[in-house]
Amino acid sequence: MPHDHDHSHDGAVPHDHTGMSPSGHPYRPDQDTALSYWQVMEIAVRELAVERGLITPAEIAAQIETMDARSPANGAAVVARAWTDPAFKARLLADASEASREMGFDIGPLRLIAVENTDEVHNVIVCTLCSCYPRNLLGLPPDWYKSRAYRSRTVKEPRRVLAEFGLTLPESTTVRVHDSTADMRYIVLPARPEGTEGMTAEALAELVTRDSMIGTGLPRSPGA
Amino acid sequence: MEPGHAWHDMGGEAAGAVDLSTHDYALWEKRVDALMVLLSGKGHFTVDGLRRAIEDLGPEAFETMTYYERWIASVSRNMVEAGAWSTAELAAKMEEVARRGGTYGGANRV
């Protein structure tokens, strides 16, 4: 049955979650169908690598755990800190890798660049060549980020693409598109929403969405 | 295709609407990602090697294979090129795995 996201999970009415993932979404079709050629290849490569002592099953499990633990909440914490700490914001805009490390986030060897949204400028990130994404701060990319449509069109008609995400910007706003590479990745520092004066960094982080850090959305408004 | 313009260099091409639906990643996809991170991290190949083998799959693979299918094809090729094992050894292992049959979960030993 199709999953209804509007229903209450603490209500008394039992309903069927069979076939749904722990997060309540449908599994990918390849999760519960017959073993595919590429799944066979994954198992084979993994077993060969383990048998030859190149990696251990524990390392694989730990890497998946690390990956699962990364989410847009990491990026949101960085953004909220920048909104509340001008000195940190200056460091973030000067060297986002180093500023993120300062907050305890492992960025690896890649160069991370934060681009700031203002009243005049809106930034959006894409990787036209492949799917480079600030995964250390945002987790794995959404499917659309890797799609032909997003990769092809964002550099050519960003306003139209943003409109498909429900984001229509004033004509007076400059839209800057940043094309990532394997070694150089971007994250958008969205503008702090109005009506958030006096809010703590923790409360502000709740307003920072994944899409607002890609540039395909804006942060939530308080109380929305 | 324009000369000097490889298929994966998609920026500026015409394309349809952005499909905004998303999925959870399956375990086997997360394992492909982990294999890439770990094996490249240990120096068996590079991120550029991953990309090069994906680009070598050609434009058709982009339409017919999923993201992590392209990744495992590339990881596998890079490991053979690195001399970690031969194509014959890979083929033998894949045959053995395929004989376990059934579902992905059922074919896993661990």
Side-chain angles (χ1 to χ4, degrees), chain A residues 94-146:
Chain A
D95 185 343
S97 311
E98 207 43 53
S100 302
R101 283 188 198 112
E102 185 187 317
M103 287 188 69
F105 298 117
D106 168 35
I107 298 300
L110 61 90
R111 183 163 170 226
L112 184 68
I113 297 169
V115 285
E116 184 186 14
N117 284 353
T118 64
D119 289 342
E120 292 85 34
V121 177
H122 181 89
N123 296 282
V124 56
I125 61 173
V126 63
C127 177
T128 61
L129 291 173
C130 39
S131 57
C132 301
Y133 185 74
R135 52 158 61 193
N136 298 55
L137 286 184
L138 301 186
L140 294 177
D143 290 333
W144 52 258
Y145 188 83
K146 306 181 284 191

Side-chain angles (χ1 to χ4, degrees), chain A residues 44-108:
Chain A
V45 168
R46 179 160 42 89
E47 289 187 3
L48 284 169
V50 169
E51 283 164 15
R52 294 180 190 219
L54 308 181
I55 48 173
T56 66
E59 283 178 308
I60 298 167
Q63 174 58 32
I64 290 175
E65 227 169 86
T66 300
M67 195 156 47
D68 280 346
R70 288 184 192 142
S71 80
N74 295 4
V78 172
V79 167
R81 170 100 183 267
W83 284 348
T84 52
D85 180 344
F88 177 79
K89 179 178 159 182
R91 293 199 294 281
L92 181 72
L93 293 174
D95 185 343
S97 311
E98 207 43 53
S100 302
R101 283 188 198 112
E102 185 187 317
M103 287 188 69
F105 298 117
D106 168 35
I107 298 300

